[in-house]
């Protein structure tokens, strides 16, 4: 592989199309709209492939909404915890749906949307985010229904559908299976069921990891069919992010030094967990490394073994490392290290902390040829501060 591809995120077209085909089949069978969450993946050079399978995106900010119109070719379904006065009118230019996180935000911007709708041939559908006060997310950092959450309106504050509101939106999953959605819908029905006949659409958010091996697709379809039968007035929408890009590519890196301290060997790489794989530290989880076996619990393992290493990032953050992995043979400087499943929630979260260069972006096509989409340079670092 050419030097320009290390470090590099490489997305595999074949695996991406397999995921997209499955999502389209589920969309058609379950009679729901599946849209791409740009917060998980915003590499617009890949949008033409995704556009063959889905028609819309969902955005969480002005920039994401702008990108959807400019590069995906469609107005987006917009939700943000709060909108700002000085950007809201521009946001309306790019939005097909706008969901408000609170009643105060709805009252603040309602007149602007109504004025837009009176003048526009493309009216904006307004919605409210609700909080079912139930979630099966086990990582607190990602739980939008934890007590005191800033996300969504609890049922105690929403007795009826306000004027002009056409939909409700909840988001309570994070890489969950369909049984979690089924349980969540029970709580939605319990708290908000009396409102569902008064709206046109129900957005069930993201976190539906449909493309993961073992995901119960039939339960998802049965659950959504039952919901549709009970509420035939509703257009049903889900907006997964990870499911689109699940296991569709990898991050290529290289060992640039090996250090040892208290019998612990650390292979220092030309990438960084905190800069380039932040979810590994946030979630946290050990990513799969090609050709190596992760050791989840090192307390029962002789970590002084010549083939066991921590992997360390090349930043000055002390915690920029993970471990341990057992390799087939001892590592040496220059060895290639490949982190699997590094396409979703990576490039949208990366940074240039310490001035560390950003890995290149590339795509591996169906014919196994690889195209370099973007190389990053000093100017990219400098201009972020300009």
């Amino acid at each position: 592989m050419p030097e320009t591809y290390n470090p590099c995120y490489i997305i595999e077209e074949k695996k991406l199309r397999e995921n997209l085909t499955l999502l389209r089949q589920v969309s058609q069978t379950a009679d729901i709209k599946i849209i791409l969450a740009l917060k998980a993946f915003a590499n617009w050079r890949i949008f033409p492939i995704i556009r063959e399978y889905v028609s819309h995106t969902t955005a969480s900010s002005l920039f994401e909404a702008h990108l959807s119109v400019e590069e995906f070719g469609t107005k987006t379904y917009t939700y943000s915890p709060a909108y700002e006065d000085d950007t809201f009118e521009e946001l309306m230019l790019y939005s097909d749906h706008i969901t408000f996180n609170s009643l105060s935000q709805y009252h603040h911007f309602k007149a602007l949307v109504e004025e837009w709708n009176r003048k526009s041939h493309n009216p904006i559908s307004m919605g409210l985010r609700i909080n079912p006060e139930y979630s099966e997310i086990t990582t607190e950092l990602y739980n939008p229904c934890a007590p005191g959450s800033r996300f969504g309106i609890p049922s105690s504050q929403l007795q009826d559908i306000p004027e002009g509101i056409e939909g409700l939106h909840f988001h309570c999953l994070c890489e969950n299976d369909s049984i979690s959605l089924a349980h969540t819908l029970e709580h939605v029905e319990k708290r908000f069921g009396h409102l569902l006949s008064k709206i046109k659409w129900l957005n069930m958010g993201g976190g539906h990891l449909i493309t993961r091996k073992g995901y119960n697709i039939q339960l998802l379809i049965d659950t959504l069919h039952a919901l549709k039968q009970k509420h035939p007035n509703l257009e049903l929408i889900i907006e997964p992010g990870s499911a689109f890009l699940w296991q569709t590519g990898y991050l290529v890196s290289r060992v640039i030094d090996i250090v040892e301290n208290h019998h612990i060997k650390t292979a220092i790489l030309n990438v960084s967990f905190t800069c380039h794989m932040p979810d590994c530290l946030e979630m946290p989880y050990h990513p799969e490394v090609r050709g190596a076996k992760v050791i989840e619990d090192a307390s029962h393992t002789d970590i002084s073994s010549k083939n066991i290493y921590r992997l360390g990032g090349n930043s000055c953050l002390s915690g920029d490392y993970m471990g341990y992995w057992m390799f087939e043979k001892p590592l040496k400087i220059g060895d290639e290290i490949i982190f699997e499943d590094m396409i979703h929630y990576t490039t949208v979260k990366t940074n240039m902390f310490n001035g560390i260069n950003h890995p290149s972006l590339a795509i591996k096509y169906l014919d196994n040829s690889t195209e370099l989409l973007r190389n990053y340079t000093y100017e990219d670092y400098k201009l972020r501060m300009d």
Side-chain angles (χ1 to χ4, degrees):
M1 184 172 290
E3 187 70 18
T4 50
Y5 293 102
N6 194 320
C8 186
Y9 297 97
I10 300 180
I11 186 168
E12 299 175 88
E13 182 185 4
K14 179 178 183 295
K15 293 181 179 180
L16 174 61
R17 286 189 180 275
E18 289 171 353
N19 282 357
L20 292 168
T21 298
L22 177 58
L23 289 170
R24 182 170 59 185
Q25 291 171 348
V26 171
S27 173
Q28 293 170 346
T29 304
D31 189 23
I32 58 169
K33 179 174 282 187
I34 298 181
I35 59 181
L36 169 67
L38 294 181
K39 65 181 179 181
F41 182 77
N43 188 336
W44 54 270
R45 297 284 296 274
I46 309 297
F47 284 176
I49 296 175
I50 299 175
R51 190 68 175 83
E52 294 177 29
Y53 298 83
V54 299
S55 61
H56 285 83
T57 67
T58 177
S60 305
S61 64
L62 174 61
F63 286 175
E64 285 185 351
H66 190 167
L67 185 69
S68 179
V69 170
E70 188 171 271
E71 298 296 343
F72 202 84
T74 60
K75 293 189 175 186
T76 192
Y77 291 47
T78 304
Y79 162 79
S80 176
Y83 302 108
E84 301 175 77
D85 289 329
D86 57 351
T87 58
F88 189 78
E89 290 192 43
E90 183 181 358
L91 188 70
M92 289 193 295
L93 291 171
Y94 309 128
S95 301
D96 189 79
H97 291 53
I98 291 181
T99 295
F100 297 102
N101 184 63
S102 67
L103 288 171
S104 59
Q105 282 266 295
Y106 155 74
H107 289 301
H108 186 73
F109 291 108
K110 172 178 176 286
L112 280 176
V113 178
E114 289 178 336
E115 181 182 2
W116 168 278
N117 287 348
R118 283 193 296 270
K119 298 178 179 179
S120 175
H121 296 297
N122 298 296
I124 295 169
S125 182
M126 289 190 289
L128 295 175
R129 178 163 177 169
I130 56 175
N131 188 332
E133 300 177 73
Y134 174 84
S135 175
E136 297 183 2
I137 298 172
T138 56
T139 303
E140 190 73 7
L141 181 66
Y142 296 100
N143 185 358
C145 295
S149 172
R150 71 189 193 281
F151 293 126
I153 305 166
S155 57
S156 60
Q157 298 176 18
L158 191 65
Q159 306 304 318
D160 206 349
I161 297 295
E163 179 185 1
I165 292 296
E166 295 184 335
L168 295 177
H169 177 156
F170 65 87
H171 184 132
C172 309
L173 306 180
C174 179
E175 298 186 357
N176 289 109
D177 207 323
S178 50
I179 187 64
S180 297
L181 174 63
H183 292 161
T184 300
L185 283 171
E186 293 174 5
H187 289 263
V188 171
E189 288 276 7
K190 177 182 176 181
R191 291 180 167 85
F192 302 97
H194 62 292
L195 303 178
L196 297 183
S197 63
K198 302 179 180 181
I199 58 175
K200 295 180 179 180
W201 51 267
L202 180 67
N203 187 327
M204 294 168 281
H208 314 265
L209 198 45
I210 298 169
T211 52
R212 179 173 59 191
K213 184 178 180 179
Y215 181 95
N216 193 335
I217 293 175
Q218 191 57 52
L219 177 60
L220 174 68
I221 293 170
D222 293 344
T223 299
L224 296 175
H225 280 166
L227 180 62
K228 188 78 171 180
Q229 187 173 19
K230 188 172 183 180
H231 303 285
N233 56 299
L234 292 179
E235 177 187 31
L236 301 180
I237 305 161
I238 62 174
E239 44 183 45
S242 295
F244 277 83
L245 288 308
W246 186 255
Q247 296 183 343
T248 59
Y250 48 92
L251 173 60
V252 181
S253 67
R254 181 174 59 249
V255 177
I256 55 179
D257 197 12
I258 298 173
V259 298
E260 185 169 347
N261 188 330
H262 282 69
H263 307 294
I264 296 172
K265 295 186 294 297
T266 301
I268 301 178
L269 310 177
N270 62 344
V271 293
S272 160
F273 288 98
T274 190
C275 294
H276 308 135
M277 297 171 275
D279 267 10
C280 294
L281 300 181
E282 290 178 5
M283 199 65 172
Y285 74 96
H286 287 84
E288 181 180 346
V289 174
R290 190 174 300 180
K293 177 183 177 182
V294 67
I295 300 172
E296 297 284 359
D297 182 3
S299 62
H300 302 295
T301 304
D302 177 13
I303 58 173
S304 65
S305 166
K306 61 182 180 180
N307 292 355
I308 295 180
Y309 300 82
R310 280 179 174 175
L311 297 178
N314 196 23
S315 81
C316 68
L317 177 70
S318 297
D320 188 7
Y321 72 89
M322 296 198 79
Y324 300 87
W325 279 268
M326 179 180 290
F327 289 82
E328 296 173 353
K329 58 184 180 180
L331 294 179
K332 61 183 185 299
I333 294 172
D335 280 353
E336 188 175 78
I337 302 294
I338 296 178
F339 293 94
E340 304 285 10
D341 196 21
M342 281 293 158
I343 303 300
H344 57 91
Y345 285 106
T346 49
T347 53
V348 290
K349 284 189 171 187
T350 53
N351 59 73
M352 288 185 168
F353 172 58
N354 273 184
I356 295 175
N357 198 13
H358 192 290
S360 301
L361 307 177
I363 181 170
K364 184 177 182 180
Y365 290 113
L366 296 177
D367 63 2
N368 286 324
S369 64
T370 302
E371 179 187 359
L372 184 66
L373 301 177
R374 175 70 188 273
N375 246 339
Y376 291 84
T377 66
Y378 163 72
E379 294 300 320
D380 293 301
Y381 170 69
K382 180 181 178 181
L383 291 176
R384 292 178 72 248
M385 315 298 174
D386 188 5

